[in-house]
Amino acid sequence: MLPPIFQKASKIISVLEENQYEAYFVGGCVRDYMTGRPIHDVDIASSALPSEVQKIFPKVIPVGLEHGTVIVRYEQESFEVTTYRTEGEYSDHRRPDDVRFVRDIKEDLKRRDFTMNAIAMDTNGKILDPFGGKQAIESGLIQTVGHAADRFEEDALRIIRALRFCSQLGFSIEEDTKKAMQRCGAQIDYLAVERLTAELEKMVAGPFFNQAVDYLFALELYHYLPIFKEEPLLLKELEPVSSLAPVFALVELKSAALTAAACIQAYKCSNQLKRQALNLVEGYHLYQKNGIDAWFVYQLPKQQWEDFIYLVRQIDQATIDRQALHRIRNKLPILSKKELCVNGYDIIEWFPERPKGKWIKDVLDKIEYHVVISKLANEKSKIKEWIQWNLPAQG
């Protein structure tokens, strides 16, 4: 019996079949089922055109009609259904110039990147495998569908995806596929960097990342990775980690010339990831200066502790005591500046003769620090008295 995630989606396939259309599970969900990996979502391919799917199901969201993709809402759940298709030329080495809908599942599977991703499965678990994907999975091989150079010339992201699958699955790369990856490596420069970033993050998180790095060096593909092409040996120092934030923090802390901010800019990452990377860099400098103390624990967000532990392990080969972090955090008088019992308005009210200015923020920063390290009670009267004794000179 198929796992529950397939059983739910089987209802969509059954409805399509009742209306005289073909439909199969395809792509990564089939691959992950065959390799025993967790399946997070399923993709359905069908001979039904998008307009035909829309007629069959009452609730359909047309998310990618030009590529034949719609989302079917069925029994309070969403299922992605894509029409069988073939693709035209890839004149920009990034996306097909045109997409043609077809009625033959084998034509659809033929356009896919690797044989392990070109397998279809019906609702009974029967496999349709015209390109030997099952054998490739059993042999632990990443191999393109058809001529390898053609696949990589069409879309150079497939070169990076091969490395990502290597990192995730521990598979080897088939010899002809490997040669074509090296020969077509320069095509990576045509990619939108956002696509590269998404694959790099998955690659770094893979348990066999070091194996992917070996291929990066053997095939000289690191030349096409922003930042790392400047100091490629940094790649060899990385251990698997679930986010790029500690990776970019590590780059800054290990390199004399590169910064986390430069990494963020080069890979066009989000502002959130930028804050996380800079938090880790600042946290490491605090740790170097004073070790694990109240101010350090207060400054570094709890959700970044694991990334910081990774960072210290990578740089210093040292272990951070998680329980010590929890103990210190549990004793903190406040967990954020918002918890201070005073604000800028209080200071203005207490010192009306003073003109407003940056000194108010500076005083609040010092109050925050002294409260956190338990040198000052978080009480208005105590804080007012402290300010009177520590008021900065005017002018």
Side-chain angles (χ1 to χ4, degrees):
M1 183 179 288
L2 293 176
I5 192 168
F6 285 113
Q7 293 174 35
K8 291 179 182 178
S10 291
K11 297 176 183 178
I12 300 294
I13 292 180
S14 297
V15 172
L16 287 164
E17 289 175 341
E18 287 166 9
N19 284 270
Q20 310 307 309
Y21 297 105
E22 288 182 1
Y24 292 92
F25 300 116
V26 292
C29 62
V30 180
R31 178 198 68 233
D32 290 341
Y33 171 62
M34 295 178 73
T35 56
R37 285 168 51 83
I39 302 162
H40 301 292
D41 57 319
V42 298
D43 291 325
I44 297 168
S46 174
S47 60
L49 298 173
S51 59
E52 293 167 337
V53 177
Q54 288 174 302
K55 288 178 182 177
I56 293 169
F57 296 96
K59 293 183 179 179
V60 176
I61 305 169
V63 291
L65 287 179
E66 69 277 13
H67 297 111
T69 301
V70 297
I71 291 176
V72 174
R73 288 288 297 167
Y74 191 79
E75 295 183 353
Q76 288 77 52
E77 295 201 49
S78 296
F79 303 91
E80 195 171 281
V81 178
T82 302
T83 303
Y84 302 159
R85 68 180 195 246
T86 61
E87 296 170 343
E89 296 294 319
Y90 284 70
S91 57
D92 64 356
H93 306 281
R94 292 166 62 176
R95 59 181 73 82
D97 296 339
D98 60 274
V99 169
R100 296 180 292 275
F101 299 135
V102 295
R103 300 288 188 177
D104 184 351
I105 181 63
K106 291 181 182 178
E107 286 297 307
D108 181 85
L109 296 176
K110 186 192 293 185
R111 70 176 174 82
R112 295 175 182 262
D113 51 7
F114 305 109
T115 58
M116 64 181 181
N117 295 332
I119 306 172
M121 183 174 72
D122 69 14
T123 55
N124 296 313
K126 183 179 177 182
I127 295 294
L128 178 66
D129 180 23
F131 303 106
K134 183 172 183 289
Q135 183 179 346
I137 288 172
E138 290 171 350
S139 302
L141 272 184
I142 298 166
Q143 182 173 8
T144 57
V145 176
H147 195 253
D150 291 343
R151 297 289 79 78
F152 297 136
E153 287 283 348
E154 288 168 351
D155 185 357
L157 191 69
R158 291 167 174 167
I159 298 172
I160 306 300
R161 279 170 60 82
L163 296 167
R164 188 251 288 184
F165 287 128
C166 171
S167 177
Q168 289 178 324
L169 303 172
F171 284 11
S172 300
I173 301 175
E174 182 266 339
E175 198 61 33
D176 286 343
T177 302
K178 193 166 61 175
K179 289 176 182 176
M181 287 169 67
Q182 185 171 29
R183 196 160 59 248
C184 300
Q187 307 297 338
I188 294 171
D189 287 337
Y190 287 100
L191 295 174
V193 73
E194 293 89 346
R195 298 178 77 204
L196 191 61
T197 302
E199 291 297 325
L200 180 64
E201 186 157 41
K202 294 174 186 175
M203 190 195 309
V204 170
F208 305 97
F209 175 65
N210 292 336
Q211 185 173 319
V213 169
D214 288 342
Y215 279 120
L216 271 169
F217 277 83
L219 304 179
E220 298 184 324
L221 294 172
Y222 64 84
H223 289 298
Y224 309 107
L225 293 182
I227 297 296
F228 295 107
K229 63 186 176 184
E230 298 175 43
E231 293 197 33
L233 291 180
L234 290 172
L235 286 165
K236 288 186 176 287
E237 298 184 26
L238 293 177
E239 293 297 325
V241 65
S242 61
S243 165
L244 287 176
V247 172
F248 293 157
L250 191 68
V251 168
E252 174 163 335
L253 294 167
K254 283 273 192 176
S255 168
L258 301 172
T259 66
C263 296
I264 300 297
Q265 184 175 8
Y267 282 96
K268 294 187 178 179
C269 297
S270 66
N271 287 331
Q272 180 185 13
L273 197 139
K274 180 178 181 179
R275 284 193 300 272
Q276 291 170 348
L278 296 181
N279 281 344
L280 290 169
V281 171
E282 292 167 10
Y284 184 78
H285 289 316
L286 275 177
Y287 166 74
Q288 274 192 316
K289 186 177 178 181
N290 298 316
I292 302 295
D293 62 5
W295 185 243
F296 167 84
V297 175
Y298 175 80
Q299 289 285 91
L300 186 67
K302 186 179 180 181
Q303 60 267 31
Q304 289 195 259
W305 286 0
E306 288 304 316
D307 285 345
F308 181 77
I309 290 169
Y310 166 89
L311 205 60
V312 172
R313 187 171 65 246
Q314 290 289 101
I315 297 173
D316 303 320
Q317 289 76 53
T319 303
I320 300 294
D321 182 356
R322 290 174 177 81
Q323 294 307 312
L325 293 172
H326 283 286
R327 284 194 300 271
I328 293 171
R329 189 174 190 273
N330 290 338
K331 292 179 181 178
L332 289 175
I334 60 172
L335 294 177
S336 79
K337 200 167 193 172
K338 292 178 182 177
E339 294 181 22
L340 283 177
C341 65
V342 301
N343 56 38
Y345 294 111
D346 293 313
I347 296 175
I348 292 169
E349 183 182 335
W350 292 339
F351 304 96
E353 75 285 353
R354 286 208 164 211
K356 299 173 186 177
K358 183 177 176 292
W359 71 272
I360 297 174
K361 179 187 178 301
D362 293 341
V363 166
L364 283 171
D365 288 345
K366 290 176 181 176
I367 291 168
E368 178 186 23
Y369 174 74
H370 282 84
V371 169
V372 168
I373 66 171
S374 299
K375 295 287 188 181
L376 177 62
N378 191 26
E379 300 172 16
K380 274 199 171 184
S381 60
K382 299 286 187 184
I383 291 173
K384 184 178 181 181
E385 182 182 352
W386 183 90
I387 296 175
Q388 287 171 333
W389 283 100
N390 294 274
L391 203 59
Q394 290 193 69

